[in-house]
Amino acid sequence: MFNFLLTNDVKKILKRKDSDAGETGRALEDFRASLFNEFRSSEGVKRQQRTSGPAAALFFNFLVAVGIIFMNKMVLQTVQFKFPILLSLIHYAVSWLLMALLKVFSLLPASPSSKSTQMSALFSLGIVMSLSTGLANVSLKYNSVGFYQMAKIAVTPSIVMAEFVLYRKKVSWPKAVALTVVSIGVAVATVTDLQFQLFGACVALAWIVPSAVNKILWSRLQQQENWAALALMWKITPITVIFLAAMIPWLDPPGVLSFDWNISNMLVILSSAILGFLLQWSGALALGATSPLSHVVLGQFKTCVILLGNYYLFGSNPGISSIFGACTAIAGMSVYTYLNLKLHSNKIFPGHASTLPKSRHDKENGSARDGHYGAESV
């Protein structure tokens, strides 16, 4: 009798343990599913981007962009790797391999479930991205960093014009004045370093339009069609690699096989490629969180920080006019940021504006269509 009771008690304990183990297993499975939805689904990734906010994305992009300009200049001049288009192709090939590794471990976000994205839009983005990146590196090879930054100033009015032509989007007068002050300030700040060749200047001019369209398409696809940054990069990168390969015979000089492919040079090129992946990713995050114009303003802010940092930290003397121009540009950026934050706060906390008739309210905000695209915040 005692043994029978003991056996029943043991069975009850074992059954309770099995039940607890089953509940633990279900909890772990639910946790794994929630992690999968958060890190791999496009909706979860977009939630993370909204949580981190535009400031984190812009700051990430700022740090990587500063590093890759000097790294690419080192590759093209110090290492004497005279093949800028091939360098761009190496960047995107390494990016594709890194994303393939993420995909193997199920860490790559899935494409949006919606079928609204046309293949022509992805194909167009791949083409302009190859032109934008390839021509930028060619411009760095033949021109000084200052002239390269000067060419970037023309991207700002190009974006304004392209968004108006394509989407009838207008920029308010206060923002237009702030952007003009920024452009003039950057021009004055970099006018002392304008070394270029005729071919390099032509390449820089040809780079402006693809760079502007590239930023617009990245921002639009992420904000309107719910693409996560890495998922869109995974789709676009093979197209970009193909077009970069087609550009090599036209823009790269011969002699790539005679280059000194030693370990030191290969490590520098690989470091540049990893920074290229981080730049593409951080740029996509920034464009998805803000707008093409805000991303361009960030690039011009980077130019001023580099100039002032060299002056204060390393004792370089760019001249009073350059320092004045950089400070003027930063003042214009501050006004532009304030206007964006004010607009963003009005959208989140409409206050008394919500009591206005809808049509009048829409007109006062300068937008006559729905959707997140066109909302700028820095």
Side-chain angles (χ1 to χ4, degrees), residues 89-111:
L89 190 147
I90 294 173
H91 283 190
Y92 282 102
V94 171
S95 296
W96 190 86
L97 290 175
L98 291 174
M99 288 185 287
L101 188 63
L102 293 176
K103 189 174 180 64
V104 168
F105 291 99
S106 299
L107 296 175
L108 190 73
S111 301

Side-chain angles (χ1 to χ4, degrees), residues 3 131 148 307:
N3 290 335
L131 291 172
Y148 172 77
L307 189 147

Side-chain angles (χ1 to χ4, degrees), residues 13-26:
I13 292 173
L14 292 175
K15 187 180 293 185
R16 190 179 303 116
K17 287 184 177 180
D18 290 341
S19 177
D20 292 342
E23 291 178 0
T24 303
R26 285 191 295 272

